[in-house]
Amino acid sequence: MQIAASPVPLKSVLAASLLTVIGAACFLGTPVILAAAVGDLVLSETQVGVLGSALLSGSAISAVMSAFLVRRYPWRLLAFMALLVEASGFLAASVVDTFPAILLPIWLASFGGGALYSLAMTVLSDHPQAVRLFGFAISVQVAFQVLMLLSMPWFMVPGGLADCLYALLGLCVIGACLVHLLPVRSAGSTNLETMSVAEVLNQPKALLCLMACLVFFISIGAVWAYLERLGTLSGFAAVQLSQVLAGGVAISILGSITAVWQGSRYGDLFPLGGASAGMLAAVVMLQVPMSMMQFFVAFAIFNFFWNYSLSYQYAAVARIDSSGRYVAATPAFHSIGGAAGPLIAAGFVTSEQLIAVNVVAGIALLISFTLFYMALSTRRHA
């Protein structure tokens, strides 16, 4: 991949890509964190959904704030503060032993992580090869997911939740060592520093894209929060489950690599439509009970098209508004949708039946692509 001349140096690109992993740690590690919490805190199916929502809802709020702060203040300061908040949340969560007590610390970690993720993605959006760098960052995130999922059996033992949270705390320490590699300040246009909330929201096509991103992640959140339960109710042991999930994620890295290779060759709308169709097929396959092979294939397809789609979601938003403020807001909408997905599904699931997860995910995918079509087809004919 050839990197064009840019105000964002290569060391900053690499640091920002790694910081996206640390910022998204709550989300990327959701199945492992929830599996460990089910054992240590003895959670019901509904509590799994609530905790899954807490893992994402904090990042939704901080990412919204980042959309208005990321161009105003020094990036290194913002990154360090976000890491401090995220690390504090993980540390506090590691010392509690009840479901109500863990919700606030986990939410706090999610809050710090969302701010860091938004900042890191904004750094990448300032590069002329942004669509490829988004794909690269997503590939790095997928590699981290594989490692987390392979570690699942070690954390599904008594005391495993605290060990999992200590590992995530260690990532925050590593992140603090990378902060100095970021650009000191945004290279974007300085008039963003004085823009009001009303001005930021005054672009309907960009808002349609952001709403599509939100609804898309309702599907992701619902499936991702209940993956471990889907496998467990199908009779898989912890080791089998971790291997299937890790294998599915490992294959899905091809999705982000495909986006990097393909670039803008087919525009944004066609790839987004293909990804929605593929994910919908996978959702239909993810029904309890299922064989291990069916679970593996469905999960791999779901993750392949999810990671393939993400680069084009960011690229679509960036092409509609090149200032970068909407790209900074995109993780907020992803996080809101991701937090809503488990909550919506939690209202309908039972201890023996998880079909509500499939219904919520399928409807969300259809609505999401409809919104993308409205935004991007209008843009093409504007």
Side-chain angles (χ1 to χ4, degrees):
M1 180 178 67
Q2 187 173 1
I3 304 295
S6 166
V8 184
L10 180 59
K11 65 178 182 180
S12 297
V13 167
L14 296 176
S17 298
L18 292 173
L19 288 173
T20 66
V21 172
I22 300 169
C26 281
F27 174 72
L28 298 174
T30 292
V32 179
I33 296 171
L34 291 179
V38 166
D40 278 7
L41 305 180
V42 193
L43 303 183
S44 68
E45 302 298 345
T46 299
Q47 288 174 327
V48 169
V50 173
L51 183 56
S53 181
L55 283 164
L56 296 171
S57 58
S59 62
I61 295 174
S62 62
V64 170
M65 294 172 58
S66 295
F68 305 104
L69 298 176
V70 72
R71 300 291 187 183
R72 298 188 180 200
Y73 298 103
W75 279 352
R76 295 175 184 176
L77 174 63
L78 290 176
F80 184 80
M81 292 176 62
L83 281 164
L84 183 61
V85 172
E86 185 178 9
S88 298
F90 287 137
L91 181 61
S94 69
V95 299
V96 300
D97 58 2
T98 65
F99 172 71
I102 201 174
L103 290 177
L104 180 58
I106 283 294
W107 185 91
L108 188 67
S110 173
F111 183 90
L116 181 65
Y117 186 85
S118 295
L119 170 62
M121 292 300 284
T122 304
V123 172
L124 298 179
S125 75
D126 275 358
H127 199 284
Q129 296 288 337
V131 65
R132 285 188 163 89
L133 293 185
F134 291 150
F136 173 73
I138 293 166
S139 298
V140 177
Q141 293 166 33
V142 171
F144 173 76
Q145 282 181 306
V146 172
L147 294 177
M148 281 291 290
L149 291 168
L150 286 174
S151 71
M152 183 182 286
W154 283 271
F155 297 131
M156 292 178 66
V157 296
L161 178 59
D163 292 339
C164 180
L165 295 171
Y166 289 145
L168 296 176
L169 178 61
L171 279 181
C172 294
V173 174
I174 295 173
C177 299
L178 299 174
V179 167
H180 75 283
L181 298 176
L182 296 177
V184 175
R185 186 176 287 270
S186 166
S189 58
T190 57
N191 66 347
L192 292 174
E193 298 181 4
T194 59
M195 293 197 71
S196 67
V197 174
E199 288 173 309
V200 170
L201 299 179
N202 189 28
Q203 192 162 151
K205 289 180 286 187
L207 287 177
L208 277 174
C209 275
L210 292 177
M211 288 305 300
C213 291
L214 186 155
V215 179
F216 179 86
F217 258 73
I218 289 178
S219 172
I220 300 297
V223 172
W224 198 238
Y226 282 95
L227 269 176
E228 184 270 335
R229 303 310 300 156
L230 286 166
T232 298
L233 290 177
S234 293
F236 306 148
V239 174
Q240 293 175 315
L241 183 59
S242 71
Q243 291 172 346
V244 168
L245 294 179
V249 170
I251 289 177
S252 72
I253 199 172
L254 296 174
S256 53
I257 292 174
T258 300
V260 172
W261 167 77
Q262 185 173 294
S264 304
R265 189 176 309 167
Y266 302 109
D268 302 323
L269 189 58
F270 181 77
L272 289 170
S276 296
M279 292 174 67
L280 191 59
V283 166
V284 172
M285 295 175 64
L286 282 171
Q287 295 193 43
V288 176
M290 55 188 149
S291 68
M292 187 178 300
M293 179 57 68
Q294 179 181 339
F295 186 44
F296 172 77
V297 171
F299 180 61
I301 292 173
F302 187 85
N303 273 268
F304 175 93
F305 284 110
W306 159 21
N307 286 284
Y308 173 77
S309 175
L310 281 183
S311 293
Y312 291 99
Q313 292 183 31
Y314 280 107
V317 175
R319 268 191 266 277
I320 286 176
D321 180 83
S322 59
S323 67
R325 62 187 181 272
Y326 290 99
V327 171
T330 301
F333 285 78
H334 281 160
S335 297
I336 293 169
L343 277 182
I344 295 171
F348 301 99
V349 298
T350 67
S351 59
E352 301 295 333
Q353 184 59 263
L354 299 179
I355 190 64
V357 174
N358 306 76
V359 174
V360 169
I363 292 174
L365 287 169
L366 292 173
I367 295 175
S368 172
F369 178 68
T370 300
L371 292 172
F372 274 125
Y373 180 83
M374 292 169 61
L376 299 178
S377 63
T378 301
R379 179 173 68 87
R380 289 187 307 172
H381 293 95

